[in-house]
Amino acid sequence: DQQVKQNSPSLSVQEGRISILNCDYTNSMFDYFLWYKKYPAEGPTFLISISSIKDKNEDGRFTVFLNKSAKHLSLHIVPSQPGDSAVYFCAASAWTSYDKVIFGPGTSLSVIP
Amino acid sequence: DAGVTQSPTHLIKTRGQQVTLRCSPKSGHDTVSWYQQALGQGPQFIFQYYEEEERQRGNFPDRFSGHQFPNYSSELNVNALLLGDSALYLCASSLSGDRVYGYTFGSGTRLTVV
């Protein structure tokens, strides 16, 4: 039972354009959402998070949008850079077990120079 | 910067053997979580330790056990290894109650069971 879904295994984007990575979740108890980036041979690194009381959070080139009614969130990267090429994981936690973070399967982003 | 340290980085074990993986959390963190990441998949939650006790557990059999020490470091033990246990094992540390910044992960231990 996959509670966090990332239906696009891979995505290719031209340098300078916008990258949009999507994520869907099924557990209505989730109230905190995070994005992690992972390079080969390294552990995931935290990128940005959003609480369910918000619908948008920005940090530099990264913006996360949350649509609670659709149980959907997206990560926008503008402008995309070659160094952004990595696997991106969407993750979520519920207030009932807030330290337990559930990860999606990941989307591999390739930014083409 | 004292991030999360995991050892060893790579390990090859024979089916049926036992293995112990080690993790030192980031300075200031008190909670350690362990994840299993199979090839092409996202990290799967194994369990979490806080105040030297298992606080949360995922859908993993009792062959997977752990421990947290008073200095917050942690061990993951897997008994009676199966071929399917081959994966990258990630340790993540956090400060209990801090949801904003998420986990800090180590680089992982690559376990191969033959």
Side-chain angles (χ1 to χ4, degrees):
Chain A
D1 178 26
Q2 197 170 53
Q3 299 183 64
V4 179
K5 304 176 183 181
Q6 295 176 258
N7 294 322
S8 297
S10 62
L11 176 68
S12 288
V13 173
Q14 286 289 130
E15 181 179 2
R17 305 294 291 268
I18 184 172
S19 294
I20 299 176
L21 294 92
N22 294 304
C23 176
D24 298 289
Y25 62 95
T26 59
N27 189 341
S28 58
M29 301 295 282
F30 286 153
D31 67 335
Y32 218 89
F33 305 89
L34 310 98
W35 285 92
Y36 287 80
K37 177 170 72 173
K38 186 180 187 300
Y39 293 118
E42 295 182 13
T45 55
F46 170 76
L47 201 54
I48 192 169
S49 64
I50 187 168
S51 163
S52 61
I53 63 173
K54 297 185 176 181
D55 54 18
K56 177 182 173 181
N57 189 26
E58 285 181 85
D59 184 1
R61 297 184 298 113
F62 302 92
T63 302
V64 57
F65 295 92
L66 175 62
N67 182 335
K68 284 177 291 185
S69 60
K71 292 191 175 67
H72 176 84
L73 60 155
S74 60
L75 175 69
H76 293 210
I77 306 173
V78 184
S80 300
Q81 300 173 353
D84 296 329
S85 297
V87 176
Y88 288 78
F89 293 104
C90 174
S93 66
W95 65 272
T96 51
S97 55
Y98 54 81
D99 276 333
K100 177 179 176 181
V101 179
I102 305 299
F103 285 77
T107 295
S108 179
L109 173 66
S110 296
V111 180
I112 304 164
Chain B
D1 179 14
V4 177
T5 304
Q6 290 187 245
S7 63
T9 55
H10 294 83
L11 203 52
I12 299 175
K13 288 287 190 178
T14 302
R15 190 172 48 183
Q17 285 188 316
Q18 179 264 346
V19 68
T20 297
L21 311 182
R22 294 177 175 82
C23 172
S24 292
K26 179 179 178 179
S27 178
H29 285 180
D30 57 7
T31 302
V32 173
S33 302
W34 287 92
Y35 284 81
Q36 180 195 67
Q37 186 180 14
L39 205 60
Q41 296 183 22
Q44 299 294 310
F45 180 81
I46 303 175
F47 44 52
Q48 181 183 89
Y49 278 84
Y50 172 68
E51 292 188 339
E52 301 180 48
E53 290 190 358
E54 183 182 290
R55 180 161 69 174
Q56 305 264 9
R57 190 175 182 94
N59 295 327
F60 279 80
D62 292 344
R63 297 187 298 109
F64 289 77
S65 63
H67 189 79
Q68 185 180 35
F69 299 93
N71 67 353
Y72 306 116
S73 66
S74 176
E75 289 181 349
L76 163 65
N77 302 293
V78 187
N79 294 322
L81 284 167
L82 303 174
L83 297 179
D85 295 331
S86 296
L88 179 68
Y89 288 84
L90 293 164
C91 171
S93 72
S94 57
L95 183 61
S96 182
D98 178 4
R99 306 181 71 189
V100 176
Y101 297 105
Y103 293 155
T104 300
F105 280 88
S107 297
T109 294
R110 172 71 62 186
L111 172 65
T112 302
V113 182
V114 297

